[in-house]
Amino acid sequence: MDIISKLRKLAETDGQRAAVIGEGGHVLTYSQLNEYSDRLAIWLHRLNGQKSDANQSARPIAVYGHKNPLMLVCFLGAAKSGRAYCPLDISMPEGRVRDTIQALDPEVILDLENDIDTLINIINDPQNTEAEYNPSWAVAGSQTFYIIFTSGSTGKPKGVKISADCLNNYLDWSCELGSAAEEKHGKIFLNQAPFSFDLSVMDTYTCLACGGTLALMEKRVQNDFALMIDFFKKTPLNIWVSTPSFADMCMGEPSFNSNLLPNLGIFLFCGEELTINTYEKLRQRFPDSRIINLYGPTESTVAVTSIEITEEIYKKTIAEGRKLPAGTAKNGTIIEINENTENNDSGDRLGEIIITGNTVSTGYFNNPEKTAEAFFEKDIKNGDGSVSTTRAYRTGDLGYIADGLLYCVGRIDFQIKMHGYRIELGDIEQNLSDLPEISRAVVVPVEKEGHIKSLTAYVITDTEVNPQHSEKNSKNNADISGINEKSLENKNDTDSEFQDLKINYDRQFSRRIKEQLLIKLPDYMIPKKIIMIDRLPMNSNGKINRNQLRSIKS
C-alpha cells in the first residue's frame, strides 16, 4: 500500500466523506485533507526544496497541539513534501518537549495550539492554492515518514524513525484486523491516544487507508465521565482502538456497555497487557463484539502480532494458567525468543523477544550508538532458496512461544533483584489479579539508598476505598524555543491522573491478601504493603503511570 496515493484516490472517489471529526463537530473531508496537505507540502517545498538525495529526507518538522483535525494536514503535508514529521502533544511535560525539540532540530515548528493562524494562512495563500503539487516530492521507500520519541534509559527521549515502507507494510496488515478492509469503509474509528503516542498510528492511518472516519477524543473528555459518556452517545463508534487500561477506566462507568455503543463491533488493544479480568468484563458488557489483542513496540511500527480472544482461547488460557496470548506474527515478520533464561513454570523457554521483518524501524534519529545497541541485520532464507538481509530489533520484552502463539511476560527491566533473589514483578501482579477480591494490580519496588528494600502492591478491588491522599497538579511555565509559553500553562499537568486518587491502606486486608499469595508465591516475592486504590493512574499515553504510584507515601 502507498498511503499517500490511497488518500489521493479517496479524495477523488469519496471526497465529501468525513475523514476526521474533532471537538465541536469540526470536520475535515477526504477532499479537504488531501487539498490542504498538498498546499502545505507546496509551501514546505518552497522553503527549502525537496529531499536532498534519493535515500535521505529533508530536515523534519515538529507539530505541536492536541487532537486538532488540522494536525493530520500537517502530518501528511510534511510527508508529501519529503519531510518526516514529529508529533508533540500538549500533555507532554515541559522538559520532554524541550528535550525532543533539541534532539529533533526541526526545520519548522507548526504550533496548532497557539498559532494556528500560520497554518490557515499557508492553506489559503494564493501561491500555494494556485501552484501544482508534485507527487514525486513525497517520502518513499526507506525515507522517514514520521518520528515518535520514546523514553530513553538515560532520561533523554529517543526518536524512533518509521519509514514510508514500514508504515505501508504495516497498513497492508492492520487494515485486515478484525474484519476485511472493505468492510471498514465508512466505519467510525476511536482515536483515544495522543498523536505523540504510536498507538494513534493504528487508528489514524488504518482508518484513513480504509476510507473510514476518525473520531478524536480529547484528553479533557477522557478525564470526565460525564463528557466521555456524552461523546459516546453522539459518536456511533464501530472500531475501538486503545490501551486496555483506558477500557478498564471506561468500565468504571456502569453505562459503558453495548446499549451505549450498539454499533461497536471490534476492539483493538495494544500498548500493554490485556488481562483476563479486562477481557471478562468486556465480554459481559459487549457480548457480540470481537476483541483483538495485539503486541508490538514503537520500533516495529505499532504492532506485529494479533489474535482474536474467543471464548475457546479464553477457556484454554484459564485451564493452562497462562496470560492471554499476543498471537501470531503478521506476514513479513518473524518472532523469535532469545532463549537465554530458564524455563517458565510450564516448561516453555523464556527469553527476550526478537522481531525481524519489514516494519522494523530504520533506527533512532541521530543516535547511532543506541541504534547499534537495539537494531541489527539478519539474513533470512526466502521460499525460493535465496537469502535476504532484513532489519531486526531487540525488544527488551520477555516472552515465550507455546502452540505457535506468542506470550508476553513483561519487561526485562521489570525484573529486579531484591535480597539476592531475581523477581519478575509481572509474576506477582498476575497472581494478585487471580485472587477473587482483586481486579487489577501493579507492583512497584521501594528503593532506599540505591537498593530495593521491599515491594508495594497497588490493587483495585470491590472494597470501598477511602480518600486519604491527594496530589496537586503542577503548572509548567518555562519558555521553550518555537512554542509559546502560554501553551504550556495548565497543559502539562503530569499529575492530572493522580488528582483525587482515593487510597486506602487496610492492615487486615493487606494481611489477608498476603496469606493468599503465600499459597502461590515464595515469601520473598510477597509485597510488604498491599494498598487499595480506586483506579490506576495513567499517563498521557493511556498506560499505567508506575512513577506516580512510586511517589505515594503511605
Side-chain angles (χ1 to χ4, degrees):
M1 176 182 294
D2 181 338
I3 183 60
I4 292 178
S5 297
K6 177 70 173 181
L7 289 173
R8 188 170 301 282
K9 183 177 180 181
L10 283 167
E12 296 171 355
T13 60
D14 285 82
Q16 297 312 303
R17 183 182 299 280
V20 56
I21 301 175
E23 183 183 18
H26 182 190
V27 174
L28 279 182
T29 65
Y30 276 93
S31 177
Q32 291 170 324
L33 185 60
N34 183 65
E35 185 177 356
Y36 296 167
S37 56
D38 276 359
R39 295 176 186 177
L40 177 59
I42 291 168
W43 180 79
L44 287 168
H45 182 79
R46 284 174 37 227
L47 272 185
N48 203 16
Q50 64 187 94
K51 45 192 175 267
S52 55
D53 60 51
N55 296 314
Q56 298 292 324
S57 301
R59 284 171 61 198
I61 72 166
V63 183
Y64 183 79
H66 179 69
K67 305 284 187 169
N68 189 320
L70 289 174
M71 292 184 77
L72 275 67
V73 170
C74 297
F75 300 163
L76 292 169
K80 286 180 174 183
S81 74
R83 291 157 175 80
Y85 70 85
C86 177
L88 302 171
D89 191 79
I90 62 173
S91 63
M92 294 169 64
E94 169 207 332
R96 175 67 176 269
V97 174
R98 180 190 295 111
D99 289 344
T100 300
I101 290 177
Q102 182 178 3
L104 192 67
D105 186 24
E107 180 181 15
V108 174
I109 299 176
L110 295 173
D111 180 1
L112 274 67
E113 185 67 12
N114 305 278
D115 189 22
I116 197 169
D117 288 344
T118 293
L119 179 63
I120 300 298
N121 291 336
I122 291 170
I123 290 173
N124 294 322
D125 188 334
Q127 292 187 79
N128 305 320
T129 59
E130 297 171 6
E132 185 175 353
Y133 169 71
N134 186 342
S136 69
W137 299 341
V139 295
S142 61
Q143 293 157 356
T144 305
F145 197 102
Y146 67 82
I147 302 169
I148 285 184
F149 278 75
T150 64
S151 298
S153 58
T154 62
K156 296 293 184 181
K158 296 179 297 185
V160 181
K161 299 186 299 180
I162 298 299
S163 70
D165 276 348
C166 284
L167 178 60
N168 289 326
N169 289 332
Y170 166 76
L171 291 173
D172 285 337
W173 173 71
S174 71
C175 287
E176 303 293 330
L177 289 170
S179 65
E182 54 268 23
E183 294 178 15
K184 295 184 177 75
H185 188 79
K187 294 294 191 288
I188 300 177
F189 286 65
L190 171 67
N191 163 254
Q192 171 258 320
F195 293 123
S196 56
F197 181 30
D198 80 317
L199 180 59
S200 67
V201 172
M202 180 184 295
D203 51 69
T204 299
Y205 287 108
T206 304
C207 173
L208 295 179
C210 293
T213 298
L214 188 68
L216 308 180
M217 179 187 276
E218 293 193 355
K219 188 66 176 176
R220 67 177 188 86
V221 175
Q222 298 177 32
N223 289 339
D224 187 315
F225 271 130
L227 292 177
M228 188 164 58
I229 296 303
D230 186 59
F231 174 91
F232 291 143
K233 288 179 179 178
K234 295 177 179 178
T235 312
L237 296 173
N238 303 111
I239 299 172
W240 177 285
V241 181
S242 83
T243 60
S245 288
F246 181 70
D248 274 332
M249 186 191 76
C250 291
M251 285 188 286
E253 167 56 47
S255 66
F256 180 74
N257 54 40
S258 58
N259 293 325
L260 178 65
L261 293 167
N263 301 313
L264 185 52
I266 300 172
F267 285 95
L268 299 176
F269 289 119
C270 196
E272 59 185 3
E273 179 191 354
L274 174 62
T275 66
I276 289 173
N277 283 317
T278 299
Y279 169 80
E280 290 172 339
K281 290 186 291 184
L282 274 173
R283 178 56 68 215
Q284 290 175 355
R285 297 191 185 210
F286 296 88
D288 298 323
S289 298
R290 307 181 73 176
I291 299 174
I292 314 295
N293 193 25
L294 300 111
Y295 161 78
T298 305
E299 286 85 347
S300 64
T301 314
V302 189
V304 290
T305 72
S306 69
I307 187 170
E308 180 178 357
I309 306 300
T310 62
E311 279 298 287
E312 180 182 358
I313 289 174
Y314 162 70
K315 290 176 181 177
K316 187 174 184 289
T317 299
I318 294 294
E320 295 178 351
R322 301 182 189 271
K323 295 186 175 187
L324 291 172
T328 56
K330 68 175 185 62
N331 288 337
T333 293
I334 298 172
I335 301 291
E336 297 175 295
I337 303 299
N338 183 11
E339 298 174 345
N340 55 2
T341 62
E342 75 278 0
N343 292 359
N344 64 11
D345 292 341
S346 301
D348 306 297
R349 292 293 292 170
L350 184 68
E352 183 179 17
I353 299 171
I354 307 296
I355 299 174
T356 305
N358 60 10
T359 56
V360 171
S361 164
T362 54
Y364 296 118
F365 181 74
N366 284 348
N367 198 335
E369 295 82 8
K370 290 296 181 182
T371 297
E373 289 176 11
F375 297 90
F376 62 100
E377 291 188 338
K378 188 171 182 177
D379 289 336
I380 302 296
K381 190 173 183 179
N382 302 316
D384 59 2
S386 63
V387 176
S388 58
T389 301
T390 307
R391 292 190 304 277
Y393 173 65
R394 302 177 181 90
T395 66
D397 294 328
L398 281 173
Y400 63 91
I401 296 174
D403 298 327
L405 298 176
L406 175 67
Y407 289 82
C408 300
V409 176
R411 288 284 302 171
I412 288 177
D413 49 15
F414 281 4
Q415 281 189 336
I416 64 167
K417 269 211 167 182
M418 185 176 70
H419 308 318
Y421 295 101
R422 189 180 66 184
I423 299 172
E424 171 59 53
L425 298 180
D427 189 5
I428 307 172
E429 293 172 355
Q430 182 63 53
N431 278 280
L432 278 166
S433 297
D434 287 343
L435 299 177
E437 295 175 80
I438 295 174
S439 60
R440 198 73 188 272
V442 175
V443 177
V444 298
V446 177
E447 297 185 24
K448 290 184 179 180
E449 299 176 354
H451 298 284
I452 297 173
K453 298 296 185 181
S454 64
L455 302 174
T456 298
Y458 297 92
V459 301
I460 296 177
T461 76
D462 293 331
T463 306
E464 183 178 354
V465 178
N466 297 316
Q468 295 184 357
H469 299 270
S470 178
E471 295 289 335
K472 300 298 182 183
N473 292 345
S474 61
K475 292 184 179 180
N476 301 297
N477 305 325
D479 179 42
I480 295 179
S481 178
I483 293 179
N484 189 313
E485 67 178 31
K486 290 183 180 179
S487 67
L488 295 168
E489 274 192 342
N490 303 313
K491 301 291 187 183
N492 293 311
D493 298 329
T494 58
D495 293 337
S496 62
E497 296 296 337
F498 203 45
Q499 189 177 25
D500 300 326
L501 188 67
K502 296 178 181 178
I503 304 165
N504 182 26
Y505 177 51
D506 184 306
R507 293 182 184 274
Q508 291 184 345
F509 171 82
S510 182
R511 182 167 56 250
R512 185 170 70 252
I513 297 299
K514 290 179 187 179
E515 291 171 352
Q516 295 179 63
L517 279 182
L518 280 169
I519 299 174
K520 298 183 176 183
L521 298 174
D523 56 1
Y524 65 83
M525 293 180 67
I526 306 300
K528 182 178 179 181
K529 287 185 177 180
I530 298 174
I531 299 172
M532 289 182 284
I533 53 179
D534 65 328
R535 56 188 167 82
L536 291 172
M538 293 187 295
N539 58 27
S540 60
N541 292 343
K543 293 186 178 183
I544 296 170
N545 195 330
R546 292 174 182 267
N547 288 332
Q548 294 283 28
L549 292 174
R550 287 174 187 260
S551 69
I552 295 177
K553 306 299 181 183
S554 58

